[in-house]
Amino acid sequence: MYLIVGLGNPGREYEGTRHNIGYDVLGMLAAQEQISILEKKHRAVIGKGVVAGEKCILARPVTYMNLSGESVREMIAYYKLDPSSDLIVISDDISLDVGRIRIRKKGSAGGHNGLKNIIANLGSDVFMRVKMGVGEKPPGWDLADYVLGRFSSPERKMMEEGAERAVDAIRMMIAQGADTAMNHFN
Protein backbone atom coordinates (compact mmCIF):
# COMPACT_ATOMS: atom_id res chain seq x y z
CA MET A 1 0.00 0.00 0.00
CA TYR A 2 1.16 3.52 -0.81
CA LEU A 3 0.59 6.77 1.05
CA ILE A 4 0.51 9.65 -1.43
CA VAL A 5 0.64 13.03 0.30
CA GLY A 6 -0.01 16.36 -1.39
CA LEU A 7 1.42 19.26 0.59
CA GLY A 8 -0.44 22.52 1.00
CA ASN A 9 -2.35 24.72 3.43
CA PRO A 10 -6.03 24.23 4.25
CA GLY A 11 -8.54 27.01 3.64
CA ARG A 12 -9.96 28.93 0.72
CA GLU A 13 -7.42 31.73 1.00
CA TYR A 14 -4.68 29.27 -0.01
CA GLU A 15 -6.47 27.59 -2.93
CA GLY A 16 -4.62 28.02 -6.21
CA THR A 17 -1.41 29.31 -4.62
CA ARG A 18 2.06 28.13 -5.57
CA HIS A 19 2.50 26.50 -2.15
CA ASN A 20 -0.66 24.40 -2.66
CA ILE A 21 0.35 22.73 -5.89
CA GLY A 22 0.78 19.46 -3.95
CA TYR A 23 -2.92 19.64 -3.01
CA ASP A 24 -3.79 20.39 -6.64
CA VAL A 25 -1.83 17.45 -8.11
CA LEU A 26 -3.32 15.10 -5.52
CA GLY A 27 -6.79 16.39 -6.44
CA MET A 28 -6.13 15.73 -10.14
CA LEU A 29 -4.94 12.18 -9.36
CA ALA A 30 -7.99 11.57 -7.16
CA ALA A 31 -10.38 12.83 -9.84
CA GLN A 32 -8.81 10.67 -12.54
CA GLU A 33 -8.85 7.59 -10.31
CA GLN A 34 -12.34 8.38 -8.94
CA ILE A 35 -11.13 8.53 -5.34
CA SER A 36 -13.04 10.83 -2.98
CA ILE A 37 -10.80 12.70 -0.54
CA LEU A 38 -13.34 13.42 2.20
CA GLU A 39 -12.51 11.40 5.33
CA LYS A 40 -10.98 13.40 8.19
CA LYS A 41 -8.36 11.28 9.91
CA HIS A 42 -4.77 11.65 11.18
CA ARG A 43 -4.91 15.47 10.95
CA ALA A 44 -5.53 15.11 7.22
CA VAL A 45 -8.32 14.70 4.73
CA ILE A 46 -7.86 11.31 3.09
CA GLY A 47 -9.30 9.03 0.45
CA LYS A 48 -8.65 5.36 -0.22
CA GLY A 49 -8.56 3.67 -3.60
CA VAL A 50 -6.42 1.98 -6.21
CA VAL A 51 -3.76 3.65 -8.35
CA ALA A 52 -1.78 1.66 -10.94
CA GLY A 53 -3.16 -1.57 -9.50
CA GLU A 54 -2.03 -0.84 -5.92
CA LYS A 55 -4.03 0.16 -2.85
CA CYS A 56 -3.33 3.78 -2.00
CA ILE A 57 -4.22 6.38 0.57
CA LEU A 58 -4.34 9.89 -0.82
CA ALA A 59 -3.87 12.52 1.89
CA ARG A 60 -3.90 16.29 2.31
CA PRO A 61 -2.53 17.21 5.75
CA VAL A 62 -4.55 20.00 7.40
CA THR A 63 -1.81 20.88 9.88
CA TYR A 64 -0.61 23.73 7.64
CA MET A 65 2.54 23.28 5.58
CA ASN A 66 5.12 23.74 8.33
CA LEU A 67 3.69 20.90 10.47
CA SER A 68 2.91 18.42 7.66
CA GLY A 69 5.27 15.85 9.14
CA GLU A 70 3.09 15.36 12.21
CA SER A 71 0.22 14.15 10.06
CA VAL A 72 2.50 12.05 7.82
CA ARG A 73 4.13 10.41 10.86
CA GLU A 74 0.69 9.47 12.27
CA MET A 75 -0.38 7.87 8.98
CA ILE A 76 2.91 5.99 8.53
CA ALA A 77 2.57 4.56 12.06
CA TYR A 78 -1.15 3.77 11.83
CA TYR A 79 -0.94 1.96 8.48
CA LYS A 80 2.44 0.36 9.35
CA LEU A 81 4.13 1.66 6.21
CA ASP A 82 7.82 1.92 5.31
CA PRO A 83 8.46 5.55 4.29
CA SER A 84 11.40 4.55 2.08
CA SER A 85 9.19 2.43 -0.19
CA ASP A 86 5.55 3.31 0.56
CA LEU A 87 5.48 7.12 0.82
CA ILE A 88 5.24 9.61 -2.07
CA VAL A 89 5.16 13.32 -1.21
CA ILE A 90 4.13 16.00 -3.74
CA SER A 91 5.46 19.51 -3.05
CA ASP A 92 6.24 22.84 -4.69
CA ASP A 93 9.83 23.73 -5.58
CA ILE A 94 11.07 27.25 -6.32
CA SER A 95 14.34 25.97 -7.83
CA LEU A 96 12.48 24.44 -10.80
CA ASP A 97 10.89 26.36 -13.67
CA VAL A 98 7.11 26.64 -13.68
CA GLY A 99 5.53 23.34 -14.70
CA ARG A 100 8.73 21.25 -14.50
CA ILE A 101 8.74 18.16 -12.32
CA ARG A 102 11.57 16.31 -10.61
CA ILE A 103 11.35 12.94 -8.91
CA ARG A 104 13.66 12.03 -6.03
CA LYS A 105 13.97 9.01 -3.73
CA LYS A 106 15.73 10.92 -0.95
CA GLY A 107 17.41 14.21 -0.21
CA SER A 108 17.39 17.34 1.87
CA ALA A 109 14.40 19.60 2.31
CA GLY A 110 16.03 22.21 0.07
CA GLY A 111 14.63 24.98 2.26
CA HIS A 112 11.05 23.68 2.00
CA ASN A 113 9.50 23.83 5.47
CA GLY A 114 6.91 21.11 4.79
CA LEU A 115 9.58 18.65 3.65
CA LYS A 116 11.83 19.74 6.53
CA ASN A 117 9.07 18.88 9.02
CA ILE A 118 8.39 15.50 7.38
CA ILE A 119 12.12 14.65 7.54
CA ALA A 120 12.25 15.71 11.21
CA ASN A 121 9.15 13.67 12.11
CA LEU A 122 10.24 10.55 10.23
CA GLY A 123 13.87 10.82 11.30
CA SER A 124 14.88 10.14 7.70
CA ASP A 125 15.11 11.89 4.34
CA VAL A 126 14.61 8.62 2.45
CA PHE A 127 11.16 8.83 0.88
CA MET A 128 9.97 9.39 -2.66
CA ARG A 129 8.93 12.85 -3.73
CA VAL A 130 7.55 14.60 -6.75
CA LYS A 131 8.71 18.20 -6.81
CA MET A 132 6.58 20.63 -8.80
CA GLY A 133 8.39 23.65 -10.19
CA VAL A 134 6.69 26.94 -9.35
CA GLY A 135 9.49 29.19 -10.58
CA GLU A 136 12.13 31.22 -8.84
CA LYS A 137 11.15 34.07 -6.54
CA PRO A 138 11.61 37.43 -8.29
CA PRO A 139 14.34 39.68 -6.84
CA GLY A 140 13.10 41.82 -3.98
CA TRP A 141 10.10 39.61 -3.24
CA ASP A 142 9.50 38.05 0.15
CA LEU A 143 9.58 34.24 -0.20
CA ALA A 144 6.37 33.73 1.79
CA ASP A 145 4.53 36.30 -0.34
CA TYR A 146 5.76 34.59 -3.50
CA VAL A 147 4.82 31.00 -2.59
CA LEU A 148 1.47 32.14 -1.18
CA GLY A 149 0.78 34.05 -4.40
CA ARG A 150 -1.18 32.78 -7.38
CA PHE A 151 -0.03 31.84 -10.85
CA SER A 152 -0.53 34.14 -13.82
CA SER A 153 -2.75 32.77 -16.62
CA PRO A 154 0.20 31.57 -18.75
CA GLU A 155 1.82 30.01 -15.64
CA ARG A 156 -1.46 28.31 -14.70
CA LYS A 157 -1.55 26.59 -18.12
CA MET A 158 2.07 25.39 -17.67
CA MET A 159 1.22 24.16 -14.16
CA GLU A 160 -1.78 22.20 -15.40
CA GLU A 161 0.43 20.48 -17.99
CA GLY A 162 3.06 19.84 -15.30
CA ALA A 163 0.41 18.44 -12.96
CA GLU A 164 -0.68 16.00 -15.68
CA ARG A 165 2.95 14.85 -16.03
CA ALA A 166 3.20 14.53 -12.24
CA VAL A 167 0.10 12.32 -12.11
CA ASP A 168 1.59 10.13 -14.85
CA ALA A 169 4.88 10.05 -12.93
CA ILE A 170 3.14 8.91 -9.73
CA ARG A 171 1.44 6.08 -11.61
CA MET A 172 4.79 5.04 -13.09
CA MET A 173 6.50 5.24 -9.68
CA ILE A 174 3.91 2.82 -8.32
CA ALA A 175 3.77 0.48 -11.32
CA GLN A 176 7.43 0.42 -12.39
CA GLY A 177 9.42 1.97 -9.55
CA ALA A 178 10.93 5.35 -8.81
CA ASP A 179 14.10 4.71 -10.85
CA THR A 180 12.11 4.09 -14.03
CA ALA A 181 10.02 7.20 -13.39
CA MET A 182 13.14 9.28 -12.70
CA ASN A 183 14.71 8.13 -15.97
CA HIS A 184 11.54 8.96 -17.88
CA PHE A 185 10.48 12.26 -16.29
CA ASN A 186 13.61 13.94 -14.89
Side-chain angles (χ1 to χ4, degrees), residues 8 19-20 22-23 31 34-35 51-52 60 62 64 80 86 108 121 126 128 131 136 143 150-151 159 165 169 179 185:
H19 225 22
N20 271 36
Y23 271 23
Q34 300 177 342
I35 300 171
V51 177
R60 289 179 174 143
V62 294
Y64 289 90
K80 296 175 178 54
D86 304 332
S108 74
N121 272 274
V126 182
M128 295 176 283
K131 298 178 172 196
E136 193 174 340
L143 181 59
R150 288 176 169 69
F151 297 103
M159 285 310 301
R165 282 192 305 279
D179 289 330
F185 288 96

Side-chain angles (χ1 to χ4, degrees), residues 16 19 32 37 51 60 67 89 95 100 119 141 154 161 169 173:
H19 225 22
Q32 290 180 12
I37 304 176
V51 177
R60 289 179 174 143
L67 299 176
V89 176
S95 66
R100 295 267 331 260
I119 291 167
W141 278 56
E161 292 167 358
M173 292 167 79

Side-chain angles (χ1 to χ4, degrees), residues 1-159:
M1 178 166 41
Y2 287 86
L3 172 61
I4 306 171
V5 178
L7 297 185
N9 288 311
R12 287 189 174 222
E13 67 269 33
Y14 299 107
E15 288 178 9
T17 62
R18 290 177 180 87
H19 225 22
N20 271 36
I21 195 64
Y23 271 23
D24 295 345
V25 171
L26 194 77
M28 183 180 284
L29 175 64
Q32 290 180 12
E33 299 294 340
Q34 300 177 342
I35 300 171
S36 297
I37 304 176
L38 299 171
E39 185 180 357
K40 293 179 181 172
K41 200 172 184 179
H42 311 294
R43 293 191 273 176
V45 182
I46 69 169
K48 297 174 183 174
V50 175
V51 177
E54 296 287 337
K55 289 182 184 176
C56 293
I57 298 161
L58 278 54
R60 289 179 174 143
V62 294
T63 54
Y64 289 90
M65 182 68 77
N66 295 353
L67 299 176
S68 299
E70 295 176 6
S71 173
V72 171
R73 183 187 69 229
E74 280 183 32
M75 290 183 279
I76 290 289
Y78 183 83
Y79 296 105
K80 296 175 178 54
L81 301 173
D82 177 352
S84 68
S85 58
D86 304 332
L87 174 63
I88 300 172
V89 176
I90 311 158
S91 67
D92 58 298
D93 191 323
I94 60 167
S95 66
L96 295 173
D97 291 339
V98 174
R100 295 267 331 260
I101 69 169
R102 180 164 296 142
I103 300 163
R104 293 281 184 251
K105 294 193 302 185
K106 64 179 183 174
S108 74
H112 192 286
N113 288 331
L115 291 174
K116 191 181 301 182
N117 192 255
I118 291 171
I119 291 167
N121 272 274
L122 295 179
S124 173
D125 68 352
V126 182
F127 57 89
M128 295 176 283
R129 47 199 97 172
V130 177
K131 298 178 172 196
M132 295 293 305
V134 296
E136 193 174 340
K137 165 186 86 69
W141 278 56
D142 176 71
L143 181 59
D145 289 341
Y146 180 70
V147 296
L148 295 176
R150 288 176 169 69
F151 297 103
S152 66
S153 290
E155 287 176 327
R156 174 55 58 192
K157 178 150 179 50
M158 289 187 285
M159 285 310 301

